[in-house]
PDB file of all heavy atoms in Angstrom:
ATOM      1  N   ARG A 192       5.011 -10.943   3.698  1.00 84.00           N
ATOM      2  CA  ARG A 192       3.829 -11.661   3.211  1.00 84.00           C
ATOM      3  C   ARG A 192       2.714 -10.732   2.748  1.00 84.00           C
ATOM      4  O   ARG A 192       1.728 -11.192   2.188  1.00 84.00           O
ATOM      5  CB  ARG A 192       3.284 -12.576   4.313  1.00 84.00           C
ATOM      6  CG  ARG A 192       4.123 -13.819   4.537  1.00 84.00           C
ATOM      7  CD  ARG A 192       3.728 -14.933   3.595  1.00 84.00           C
ATOM      8  NE  ARG A 192       4.563 -16.105   3.707  1.00 84.00           N
ATOM      9  CZ  ARG A 192       4.406 -17.054   4.602  1.00 84.00           C
ATOM     10  NH1 ARG A 192       3.440 -16.952   5.503  1.00 84.00           N
ATOM     11  NH2 ARG A 192       5.202 -18.087   4.610  1.00 84.00           N
ATOM     12  N   SER A 193       2.851  -9.432   2.956  1.00 77.00           N
ATOM     13  CA  SER A 193       1.812  -8.497   2.540  1.00 77.00           C
ATOM     14  C   SER A 193       2.049  -8.066   1.096  1.00 77.00           C
ATOM     15  O   SER A 193       3.183  -7.870   0.680  1.00 77.00           O
ATOM     16  CB  SER A 193       1.814  -7.271   3.458  1.00 77.00           C
ATOM     17  OG  SER A 193       3.054  -6.627   3.412  1.00 77.00           O
ATOM     18  N   SER A 194       0.971  -7.957   0.327  1.00 73.00           N
ATOM     19  CA  SER A 194       1.046  -7.524  -1.075  1.00 73.00           C
ATOM     20  C   SER A 194       2.075  -8.320  -1.866  1.00 73.00           C
ATOM     21  O   SER A 194       2.889  -7.762  -2.605  1.00 73.00           O
ATOM     22  CB  SER A 194       1.376  -6.024  -1.149  1.00 73.00           C
ATOM     23  OG  SER A 194       0.379  -5.266  -0.522  1.00 73.00           O
ATOM     24  N   GLY A 195       2.050  -9.613  -1.705  1.00 74.00           N
ATOM     25  CA  GLY A 195       2.994 -10.459  -2.425  1.00 74.00           C
ATOM     26  C   GLY A 195       4.176 -10.846  -1.560  1.00 74.00           C
ATOM     27  O   GLY A 195       4.692 -10.042  -0.810  1.00 74.00           O
ATOM     28  N   THR A 196       4.573 -12.082  -1.682  1.00 82.00           N
ATOM     29  CA  THR A 196       5.674 -12.595  -0.856  1.00 82.00           C
ATOM     30  C   THR A 196       7.015 -12.120  -1.395  1.00 82.00           C
ATOM     31  O   THR A 196       7.246 -12.118  -2.605  1.00 82.00           O
ATOM     32  CB  THR A 196       5.633 -14.127  -0.833  1.00 82.00           C
ATOM     33  OG1 THR A 196       4.382 -14.551  -0.291  1.00 82.00           O
ATOM     34  CG2 THR A 196       6.760 -14.678   0.022  1.00 82.00           C
ATOM     35  N   ALA A 197       7.875 -11.709  -0.482  1.00 87.00           N
ATOM     36  CA  ALA A 197       9.213 -11.278  -0.875  1.00 87.00           C
ATOM     37  C   ALA A 197      10.224 -11.818   0.123  1.00 87.00           C
ATOM     38  O   ALA A 197      10.021 -11.717   1.329  1.00 87.00           O
ATOM     39  CB  ALA A 197       9.297  -9.763  -0.931  1.00 87.00           C
ATOM     40  N   TYR A 198      11.292 -12.388  -0.383  1.00 92.00           N
ATOM     41  CA  TYR A 198      12.419 -12.844   0.424  1.00 92.00           C
ATOM     42  C   TYR A 198      13.607 -11.950   0.060  1.00 92.00           C
ATOM     43  O   TYR A 198      13.939 -11.810  -1.107  1.00 92.00           O
ATOM     44  CB  TYR A 198      12.797 -14.287   0.089  1.00 92.00           C
ATOM     45  CG  TYR A 198      11.757 -15.317   0.441  1.00 92.00           C
ATOM     46  CD1 TYR A 198      10.690 -15.567  -0.407  1.00 92.00           C
ATOM     47  CD2 TYR A 198      11.859 -16.060   1.619  1.00 92.00           C
ATOM     48  CE1 TYR A 198       9.740 -16.517  -0.099  1.00 92.00           C
ATOM     49  CE2 TYR A 198      10.914 -17.021   1.930  1.00 92.00           C
ATOM     50  CZ  TYR A 198       9.856 -17.241   1.078  1.00 92.00           C
ATOM     51  OH  TYR A 198       8.921 -18.195   1.395  1.00 92.00           O
ATOM     52  N   VAL A 199      14.230 -11.385   1.089  1.00 94.00           N
ATOM     53  CA  VAL A 199      15.378 -10.514   0.855  1.00 94.00           C
ATOM     54  C   VAL A 199      16.490 -10.911   1.806  1.00 94.00           C
ATOM     55  O   VAL A 199      16.246 -11.146   3.000  1.00 94.00           O
ATOM     56  CB  VAL A 199      15.012  -9.028   1.054  1.00 94.00           C
ATOM     57  CG1 VAL A 199      16.223  -8.144   0.813  1.00 94.00           C
ATOM     58  CG2 VAL A 199      13.877  -8.613   0.118  1.00 94.00           C
ATOM     59  N   TYR A 200      17.693 -11.005   1.283  1.00 97.00           N
ATOM     60  CA  TYR A 200      18.858 -11.388   2.083  1.00 97.00           C
ATOM     61  C   TYR A 200      19.968 -10.362   1.940  1.00 97.00           C
ATOM     62  O   TYR A 200      20.134  -9.753   0.875  1.00 97.00           O
ATOM     63  CB  TYR A 200      19.395 -12.744   1.620  1.00 97.00           C
ATOM     64  CG  TYR A 200      18.455 -13.903   1.852  1.00 97.00           C
ATOM     65  CD1 TYR A 200      17.555 -14.303   0.872  1.00 97.00           C
ATOM     66  CD2 TYR A 200      18.475 -14.608   3.063  1.00 97.00           C
ATOM     67  CE1 TYR A 200      16.689 -15.359   1.085  1.00 97.00           C
ATOM     68  CE2 TYR A 200      17.622 -15.674   3.276  1.00 97.00           C
ATOM     69  CZ  TYR A 200      16.722 -16.041   2.287  1.00 97.00           C
ATOM     70  OH  TYR A 200      15.871 -17.096   2.510  1.00 97.00           O
ATOM     71  N   ALA A 201      20.746 -10.213   2.991  1.00 97.00           N
ATOM     72  CA  ALA A 201      21.965  -9.437   2.889  1.00 97.00           C
ATOM     73  C   ALA A 201      22.944 -10.191   2.006  1.00 97.00           C
ATOM     74  O   ALA A 201      22.968 -11.431   2.012  1.00 97.00           O
ATOM     75  CB  ALA A 201      22.572  -9.222   4.278  1.00 97.00           C
ATOM     76  N   ASP A 202      23.765  -9.469   1.280  1.00 97.00           N
ATOM     77  CA  ASP A 202      24.723 -10.119   0.384  1.00 97.00           C
ATOM     78  C   ASP A 202      25.663 -11.048   1.156  1.00 97.00           C
ATOM     79  O   ASP A 202      26.082 -12.082   0.637  1.00 97.00           O
ATOM     80  CB  ASP A 202      25.539  -9.056  -0.359  1.00 97.00           C
ATOM     81  CG  ASP A 202      24.702  -8.317  -1.397  1.00 97.00           C
ATOM     82  OD1 ASP A 202      23.618  -8.817  -1.766  1.00 97.00           O
ATOM     83  OD2 ASP A 202      25.132  -7.229  -1.826  1.00 97.00           O
ATOM     84  N   SER A 203      25.980 -10.679   2.379  1.00 97.00           N
ATOM     85  CA  SER A 203      26.941 -11.450   3.165  1.00 97.00           C
ATOM     86  C   SER A 203      26.421 -12.831   3.569  1.00 97.00           C
ATOM     87  O   SER A 203      27.202 -13.705   3.945  1.00 97.00           O
ATOM     88  CB  SER A 203      27.338 -10.674   4.416  1.00 97.00           C
ATOM     89  OG  SER A 203      26.188 -10.406   5.210  1.00 97.00           O
ATOM     90  N   VAL A 204      25.102 -13.037   3.514  1.00 98.00           N
ATOM     91  CA  VAL A 204      24.536 -14.322   3.939  1.00 98.00           C
ATOM     92  C   VAL A 204      23.825 -15.046   2.808  1.00 98.00           C
ATOM     93  O   VAL A 204      23.401 -16.200   2.981  1.00 98.00           O
ATOM     94  CB  VAL A 204      23.557 -14.142   5.129  1.00 98.00           C
ATOM     95  CG1 VAL A 204      24.230 -13.380   6.263  1.00 98.00           C
ATOM     96  CG2 VAL A 204      22.275 -13.445   4.691  1.00 98.00           C
ATOM     97  N   LYS A 205      23.695 -14.408   1.681  1.00 98.00           N
ATOM     98  CA  LYS A 205      22.974 -14.992   0.561  1.00 98.00           C
ATOM     99  C   LYS A 205      23.626 -16.314   0.155  1.00 98.00           C
ATOM    100  O   LYS A 205      24.839 -16.401  -0.006  1.00 98.00           O
ATOM    101  CB  LYS A 205      22.961 -14.019  -0.614  1.00 98.00           C
ATOM    102  CG  LYS A 205      21.898 -14.294  -1.653  1.00 98.00           C
ATOM    103  CD  LYS A 205      21.873 -13.179  -2.678  1.00 98.00           C
ATOM    104  CE  LYS A 205      21.419 -11.862  -2.091  1.00 98.00           C
ATOM    105  NZ  LYS A 205      21.329 -10.779  -3.094  1.00 98.00           N
ATOM    106  N   GLY A 206      22.795 -17.335   0.005  1.00 97.00           N
ATOM    107  CA  GLY A 206      23.312 -18.651  -0.348  1.00 97.00           C
ATOM    108  C   GLY A 206      23.703 -19.499   0.845  1.00 97.00           C
ATOM    109  O   GLY A 206      23.935 -20.702   0.703  1.00 97.00           O
ATOM    110  N   ARG A 207      23.805 -18.904   2.012  1.00 98.00           N
ATOM    111  CA  ARG A 207      24.163 -19.647   3.222  1.00 98.00           C
ATOM    112  C   ARG A 207      23.020 -19.682   4.232  1.00 98.00           C
ATOM    113  O   ARG A 207      22.868 -20.647   4.980  1.00 98.00           O
ATOM    114  CB  ARG A 207      25.387 -19.018   3.893  1.00 98.00           C
ATOM    115  CG  ARG A 207      26.626 -19.002   3.038  1.00 98.00           C
ATOM    116  CD  ARG A 207      27.858 -18.557   3.832  1.00 98.00           C
ATOM    117  NE  ARG A 207      27.702 -17.204   4.358  1.00 98.00           N
ATOM    118  CZ  ARG A 207      27.791 -16.901   5.653  1.00 98.00           C
ATOM    119  NH1 ARG A 207      28.004 -17.840   6.543  1.00 98.00           N
ATOM    120  NH2 ARG A 207      27.662 -15.639   6.054  1.00 98.00           N
ATOM    121  N   PHE A 208      22.232 -18.615   4.280  1.00 98.00           N
ATOM    122  CA  PHE A 208      21.131 -18.509   5.238  1.00 98.00           C
ATOM    123  C   PHE A 208      19.807 -18.608   4.493  1.00 98.00           C
ATOM    124  O   PHE A 208      19.671 -18.125   3.364  1.00 98.00           O
ATOM    125  CB  PHE A 208      21.169 -17.170   5.968  1.00 98.00           C
ATOM    126  CG  PHE A 208      22.319 -16.997   6.931  1.00 98.00           C
ATOM    127  CD1 PHE A 208      23.379 -17.889   6.982  1.00 98.00           C
ATOM    128  CD2 PHE A 208      22.338 -15.925   7.806  1.00 98.00           C
ATOM    129  CE1 PHE A 208      24.430 -17.726   7.872  1.00 98.00           C
ATOM    130  CE2 PHE A 208      23.372 -15.736   8.709  1.00 98.00           C
ATOM    131  CZ  PHE A 208      24.427 -16.634   8.727  1.00 98.00           C
ATOM    132  N   THR A 209      18.801 -19.179   5.157  1.00 98.00           N
ATOM    133  CA  THR A 209      17.469 -19.290   4.590  1.00 98.00           C
ATOM    134  C   THR A 209      16.436 -18.888   5.638  1.00 98.00           C
ATOM    135  O   THR A 209      16.443 -19.425   6.757  1.00 98.00           O
ATOM    136  CB  THR A 209      17.168 -20.726   4.128  1.00 98.00           C
ATOM    137  OG1 THR A 209      18.144 -21.124   3.164  1.00 98.00           O
ATOM    138  CG2 THR A 209      15.791 -20.812   3.497  1.00 98.00           C
ATOM    139  N   ILE A 210      15.569 -17.970   5.270  1.00 96.00           N
ATOM    140  CA  ILE A 210      14.504 -17.542   6.163  1.00 96.00           C
ATOM    141  C   ILE A 210      13.221 -18.249   5.762  1.00 96.00           C
ATOM    142  O   ILE A 210      12.951 -18.449   4.577  1.00 96.00           O
ATOM    143  CB  ILE A 210      14.326 -16.002   6.117  1.00 96.00           C
ATOM    144  CG1 ILE A 210      13.366 -15.531   7.214  1.00 96.00           C
ATOM    145  CG2 ILE A 210      13.889 -15.538   4.740  1.00 96.00           C
ATOM    146  CD1 ILE A 210      13.320 -14.016   7.352  1.00 96.00           C
ATOM    147  N   SER A 211      12.440 -18.626   6.757  1.00 94.00           N
ATOM    148  CA  SER A 211      11.177 -19.319   6.477  1.00 94.00           C
ATOM    149  C   SER A 211      10.207 -19.090   7.627  1.00 94.00           C
ATOM    150  O   SER A 211      10.603 -18.591   8.698  1.00 94.00           O
ATOM    151  CB  SER A 211      11.410 -20.817   6.276  1.00 94.00           C
ATOM    152  OG  SER A 211      11.932 -21.407   7.456  1.00 94.00           O
ATOM    153  N   ARG A 212       8.967 -19.484   7.405  1.00 92.00           N
ATOM    154  CA  ARG A 212       7.945 -19.348   8.439  1.00 92.00           C
ATOM    155  C   ARG A 212       7.101 -20.615   8.509  1.00 92.00           C
ATOM    156  O   ARG A 212       6.855 -21.252   7.491  1.00 92.00           O
ATOM    157  CB  ARG A 212       6.987 -18.197   8.121  1.00 92.00           C
ATOM    158  CG  ARG A 212       7.442 -16.845   8.500  1.00 92.00           C
ATOM    159  CD  ARG A 212       6.336 -15.873   8.181  1.00 92.00           C
ATOM    160  NE  ARG A 212       6.704 -14.497   8.471  1.00 92.00           N
ATOM    161  CZ  ARG A 212       5.951 -13.463   8.164  1.00 92.00           C
ATOM    162  NH1 ARG A 212       4.800 -13.642   7.556  1.00 92.00           N
ATOM    163  NH2 ARG A 212       6.323 -12.243   8.454  1.00 92.00           N
ATOM    164  N   ASP A 213       6.664 -20.929   9.698  1.00 91.00           N
ATOM    165  CA  ASP A 213       5.653 -21.955   9.902  1.00 91.00           C
ATOM    166  C   ASP A 213       4.426 -21.224  10.440  1.00 91.00           C
ATOM    167  O   ASP A 213       4.347 -20.928  11.643  1.00 91.00           O
ATOM    168  CB  ASP A 213       6.144 -23.017  10.890  1.00 91.00           C
ATOM    169  CG  ASP A 213       5.161 -24.165  11.036  1.00 91.00           C
ATOM    170  OD1 ASP A 213       3.941 -23.957  10.841  1.00 91.00           O
ATOM    171  OD2 ASP A 213       5.617 -25.285  11.349  1.00 91.00           O
ATOM    172  N   SER A 214       3.495 -20.906   9.548  1.00 86.00           N
ATOM    173  CA  SER A 214       2.340 -20.108   9.941  1.00 86.00           C
ATOM    174  C   SER A 214       1.471 -20.814  10.975  1.00 86.00           C
ATOM    175  O   SER A 214       0.879 -20.186  11.843  1.00 86.00           O
ATOM    176  CB  SER A 214       1.507 -19.760   8.711  1.00 86.00           C
ATOM    177  OG  SER A 214       2.260 -18.967   7.814  1.00 86.00           O
ATOM    178  N   ALA A 215       1.413 -22.124  10.894  1.00 88.00           N
ATOM    179  CA  ALA A 215       0.582 -22.870  11.846  1.00 88.00           C
ATOM    180  C   ALA A 215       1.112 -22.736  13.272  1.00 88.00           C
ATOM    181  O   ALA A 215       0.347 -22.778  14.236  1.00 88.00           O
ATOM    182  CB  ALA A 215       0.522 -24.333  11.432  1.00 88.00           C
ATOM    183  N   LYS A 216       2.416 -22.566  13.402  1.00 90.00           N
ATOM    184  CA  LYS A 216       3.034 -22.463  14.723  1.00 90.00           C
ATOM    185  C   LYS A 216       3.375 -21.021  15.091  1.00 90.00           C
ATOM    186  O   LYS A 216       3.885 -20.775  16.181  1.00 90.00           O
ATOM    187  CB  LYS A 216       4.313 -23.309  14.772  1.00 90.00           C
ATOM    188  CG  LYS A 216       4.082 -24.794  14.583  1.00 90.00           C
ATOM    189  CD  LYS A 216       5.398 -25.546  14.656  1.00 90.00           C
ATOM    190  CE  LYS A 216       5.180 -27.032  14.477  1.00 90.00           C
ATOM    191  NZ  LYS A 216       6.468 -27.787  14.514  1.00 90.00           N
ATOM    192  N   ASN A 217       3.141 -20.078  14.189  1.00 90.00           N
ATOM    193  CA  ASN A 217       3.514 -18.669  14.427  1.00 90.00           C
ATOM    194  C   ASN A 217       5.012 -18.537  14.707  1.00 90.00           C
ATOM    195  O   ASN A 217       5.421 -17.782  15.600  1.00 90.00           O
ATOM    196  CB  ASN A 217       2.723 -18.071  15.593  1.00 90.00           C
ATOM    197  CG  ASN A 217       1.238 -18.088  15.368  1.00 90.00           C
ATOM    198  OD1 ASN A 217       0.776 -18.145  14.240  1.00 90.00           O
ATOM    199  ND2 ASN A 217       0.486 -18.053  16.450  1.00 90.00           N
ATOM    200  N   VAL A 218       5.818 -19.250  13.970  1.00 93.00           N
ATOM    201  CA  VAL A 218       7.259 -19.247  14.189  1.00 93.00           C
ATOM    202  C   VAL A 218       7.990 -18.923  12.885  1.00 93.00           C
ATOM    203  O   VAL A 218       7.620 -19.410  11.819  1.00 93.00           O
ATOM    204  CB  VAL A 218       7.758 -20.612  14.718  1.00 93.00           C
ATOM    205  CG1 VAL A 218       9.274 -20.599  14.888  1.00 93.00           C
ATOM    206  CG2 VAL A 218       7.093 -20.933  16.044  1.00 93.00           C
ATOM    207  N   MET A 219       9.017 -18.100  12.992  1.00 94.00           N
ATOM    208  CA  MET A 219       9.908 -17.795  11.874  1.00 94.00           C
ATOM    209  C   MET A 219      11.255 -18.435  12.173  1.00 94.00           C
ATOM    210  O   MET A 219      11.680 -18.499  13.330  1.00 94.00           O
ATOM    211  CB  MET A 219      10.073 -16.286  11.730  1.00 94.00           C
ATOM    212  CG  MET A 219      11.091 -15.869  10.682  1.00 94.00           C
ATOM    213  SD  MET A 219      11.255 -14.086  10.527  1.00 94.00           S
ATOM    214  CE  MET A 219      11.928 -13.635  12.124  1.00 94.00           C
TER     215      MET A 219
END
């Protein structure tokens, strides 16, 4: 989240896994 948002995935999980955050709850 610093200096622009970036999402990066390993090739082995790309398309199957999704990372996200709930800032209000401090949870990833």
Side-chain angles (χ1 to χ4, degrees):
R192 285 274 176 83
S193 59
S194 299
T196 300
Y198 294 82
V199 180
Y200 294 92
D202 289 343
S203 59
V204 307
K205 199 173 294 183
R207 299 189 299 123
F208 291 10
T209 302
I210 189 171
S211 62
R212 277 183 182 174
D213 185 332
S214 297
K216 297 180 180 179
N217 300 337
V218 178
M219 174 180 65

